[in-house]
Amino acid sequence: MQKPTLPKGMRDFGPVEMARRNYIFDTIRSVYALYGYRQIETPTMEQLSTLMGKYGEEGDRLLFKVLNSGDALRDLSDAELLERNALRFANKVCEKGLRYDLTVPFARYVVMHRAELTLPFRRYQIQPVWRADRPQKGRYREFYQCDADVIGSTSLLSEVELLQIIDEVFRRLGLRVRILLNNRKVLAGIAEVAGVGDRLVDVTVAIDKLDKIGEDKVFDELRTKGLSEDALERLRPFLKLSGSNREKLAALRTLLASSAEGLQGIEELSFILDHVEPLELGAELVLDLSLARGLSYYTGAILEVKALDAAMGSISGGGRYDNLTGIFGMDGLSGVGISFGADRIYDVLAELDLFPEAASQGTQLLFANFGAAEVSYLLPIIARLRRAGVATELYPEAAKMKKQLGYADSLAIPYVVLVGEEERAAGRFTVKDMRAGTQLQLSEEELFDRFATK
């Protein structure tokens, strides 16, 4: 007999977990709608040509590739099979892949549907993505992203608005967070001043790991990439900047005085801070020059969100991308977006016991089953309760009462309604409070008044 298993990094979700996940999704969805974002969906699979080369070398390596249907090996020679080159093999026998994120498919969507869209286009998307990563705490191979993007506008007011959305979502979820903010133009300026402007990708990929592996190991990684000690010493002051956001910007203006691109990034950060500070966000907003975000398509503001009360990686992030649609033949469309990591948010809320009781509340009333006559009497009443919005069940069999009450107890159903022959004749309902262990007698109208108005 085969033992049932799951692939590593993938999970089942039971009813309680799904109720809690929907609480997160519904919270995010309601805030997106509040700001005028409209929902779309894209397919699970995309053409590999759509996905490859958009996420950097590491992203390409983590793409799940889908074997072509039919005889996928027919075009491979014996020599190619014996070569055992996994990358070349995949390129030959795979034309499709599971989406790695929602942003690149969104860019593809915009180009394909441009004639139907009014720009700027504000969309949100809540769907799973897949990465062939090594599973660990807070990192799964299948997980949900909850994205919002504005495309077709260069206005930095979009960044300001997205910061407000982040703040509002975590306020509603009851999570204390810190928002880290930086700009890829500033990072490009830092690389330029350090004399390694042509090594921006190497610099940003390494700097992005600063909070995980520390400065020494970041510099060791940069040494393996061929950066000189002189370049590393020029980078060091940027990683040690401290003080308030304004003090960091002032220091940057001096350090990046010779970099036009770096100064442009500073002005963009200043604009965002100027417009966000009067809004008095509940979340702490911190300018963090070590923040680089590994995805190669970012060109302007970048941000990440960390939970303050739990040891977890980034639970939200995003940034500005100036020409992502250009890879699909439509130049000149700037966009900016954010993504909430619903799975990590779930883990943090569970660890901190922040899920409201209502998030996992299912059935409110269970009607006990005393037999066929009582069932016929109760079905119209139960239908009326459901029309009134009361989550109601009828136990399917006339089982022993101990079993029916045990069912309610195991599912945390708060109330059981008992209607036997005597109650039916009197038009009364015995309502048992499963938590308090008390009972009360109600008429039909009293039953509706008590529960349908909750």
Side-chain angles (χ1 to χ4, degrees):
M1 181 181 294
Q2 181 179 343
K3 181 180 178 181
T5 61
L6 280 174
K8 289 182 179 180
M10 300 188 182
R11 300 158 293 162
D12 289 324
F13 300 106
V16 172
E17 292 166 307
M18 281 308 306
R20 291 178 168 184
R21 285 167 65 81
N22 284 331
Y23 163 69
I24 295 171
F25 294 145
D26 291 345
T27 299
I28 295 170
R29 185 180 288 110
S30 65
V31 176
Y32 283 162
L34 187 66
Y35 282 77
Y37 288 73
R38 303 163 67 197
Q39 187 173 15
I40 68 164
E41 288 194 353
T42 58
T44 295
M45 286 189 293
E46 296 276 353
Q47 298 290 352
L48 269 181
S49 58
T50 297
L51 303 173
M52 293 291 287
K54 313 306 188 300
Y55 307 106
E57 182 180 342
E58 184 177 9
D60 285 351
R61 182 174 55 81
L62 297 180
L63 281 170
F64 273 112
K65 301 173 180 66
V66 178
L67 192 68
N68 293 342
S69 56
D71 183 6
L73 303 182
R74 67 179 180 274
D75 295 327
L76 286 175
S77 67
D78 290 345
E80 287 171 322
L81 288 170
L82 291 171
E83 187 182 15
R84 302 175 67 87
N85 185 310
L87 181 59
R88 195 170 300 165
F89 175 82
N91 289 338
K92 280 266 191 175
V93 301
C94 300
E95 296 174 353
K96 296 175 287 293
L98 300 183
R99 61 173 172 251
Y100 181 89
D101 75 349
L102 300 179
T103 305
V104 169
F106 172 55
R108 189 266 312 149
Y109 174 93
V110 169
V111 174
M112 289 186 66
H113 297 269
R114 172 64 185 91
E116 308 159 26
L117 303 179
T118 300
L119 298 180
F121 179 51
R122 302 147 73 85
R123 85 81 163 89
Y124 77 88
Q125 196 170 344
I126 300 176
Q127 289 186 272
V129 299
W130 293 266
R131 297 182 185 180
D133 212 342
R134 182 170 62 87
Q136 53 188 290
K137 181 182 178 182
R139 189 181 294 273
Y140 306 102
R141 287 177 171 171
E142 179 185 52
F143 56 97
Y144 268 74
Q145 288 186 339
C146 309
D147 283 20
D149 288 77
V150 182
I151 198 160
S153 172
T154 59
S155 172
L156 296 175
L157 291 175
S158 297
E159 279 85 336
V160 174
E161 183 176 88
L162 290 170
L163 287 169
Q164 290 176 269
I165 287 174
I166 289 170
D167 186 63
E168 178 64 15
V169 165
F170 288 115
R171 184 193 67 78
R172 294 189 183 192
L173 293 175
L175 267 181
R176 296 194 319 122
V177 299
R178 176 180 295 120
I179 305 172
L180 307 178
L181 180 66
N182 200 3
N183 192 293
R184 287 293 281 254
K185 294 183 179 73
V186 169
L187 290 169
I190 292 172
E192 182 183 345
V193 168
V196 288
D198 59 336
R199 308 295 297 277
L200 177 60
V201 172
D202 291 336
V203 171
T204 55
V205 168
I207 286 178
D208 200 39
K209 301 174 184 176
L210 186 67
D211 64 333
K212 301 182 185 73
I213 64 176
E215 182 180 309
D216 290 343
K217 289 187 177 178
V218 166
F219 278 23
D220 286 343
E221 181 174 324
L222 289 171
R223 287 187 185 97
T224 66
K225 298 291 186 180
L227 268 70
S228 67
E229 292 301 321
D230 179 60
L232 296 180
E233 286 307 309
R234 292 184 187 182
L235 285 174
R236 200 179 298 274
F238 293 100
L239 302 184
K240 294 187 176 297
L241 281 184
S242 60
S244 69
N245 292 335
R246 297 296 182 177
E247 288 168 342
K248 291 175 185 175
L249 284 180
L252 277 175
R253 282 193 175 91
T254 301
L255 291 169
L256 294 179
S258 62
S259 171
E261 186 173 8
L263 292 174
Q264 184 182 350
I266 292 171
E267 292 310 310
E268 291 179 5
L269 288 171
S270 296
F271 180 96
I272 294 170
L273 292 176
D274 287 344
H275 289 78
V276 166
E277 286 172 355
L279 302 176
E280 298 181 348
L281 300 184
E284 181 184 5
L285 180 62
V286 176
L287 179 59
D288 183 355
L289 295 179
S290 71
L291 175 64
R293 291 194 62 78
L295 297 181
S296 59
Y297 52 65
Y298 289 124
T299 56
I302 48 177
L303 62 92
E304 280 191 356
V305 181
K306 301 291 180 72
L308 292 178
D309 300 316
M312 180 63 72
S314 169
I315 57 176
S316 181
R320 166 74 62 173
Y321 43 91
D322 274 334
N323 195 28
L324 192 57
T325 56
I327 58 180
F328 300 116
M330 182 182 288
D331 292 326
L333 277 186
S334 183
V336 59
I338 57 172
S339 180
F340 291 95
D343 298 87
R344 288 187 174 186
I345 292 172
Y346 182 104
D347 291 346
V348 172
L349 291 176
E351 179 182 335
L352 300 177
D353 195 24
L354 288 177
F355 282 108
E357 186 177 348
S360 54
Q361 181 67 61
T363 300
Q364 190 175 5
L365 291 178
L366 171 69
F367 279 78
N369 189 328
F370 283 86
E374 285 76 16
V375 166
S376 296
Y377 171 71
L378 290 174
L379 283 175
I381 296 169
I382 292 171
R384 183 184 167 201
L385 281 164
R386 288 170 175 158
R387 285 195 295 269
V390 183
T392 308
E393 282 187 50
L394 171 66
Y395 197 81
E397 289 92 24
K400 290 182 178 180
M401 196 50 53
K402 181 179 179 181
K403 182 176 182 180
Q404 297 191 50
L405 293 175
Y407 173 84
D409 194 48
S410 67
L411 295 180
I413 298 173
Y415 298 98
V416 175
V417 184
L418 307 166
V419 182
E421 185 176 348
E422 291 183 10
E423 287 92 350
R424 178 163 58 90
R428 306 292 290 178
F429 298 81
T430 299
V431 180
K432 182 176 179 64
D433 186 326
M434 295 297 291
R435 294 170 187 163
T438 57
Q439 293 187 174
L440 71 160
Q441 291 270 325
L442 299 175
S443 69
E444 183 174 335
E445 291 311 310
E446 288 171 339
L447 182 72
F448 275 81
D449 287 345
R450 183 178 182 88
F451 292 101
T453 57
K454 291 291 183 183

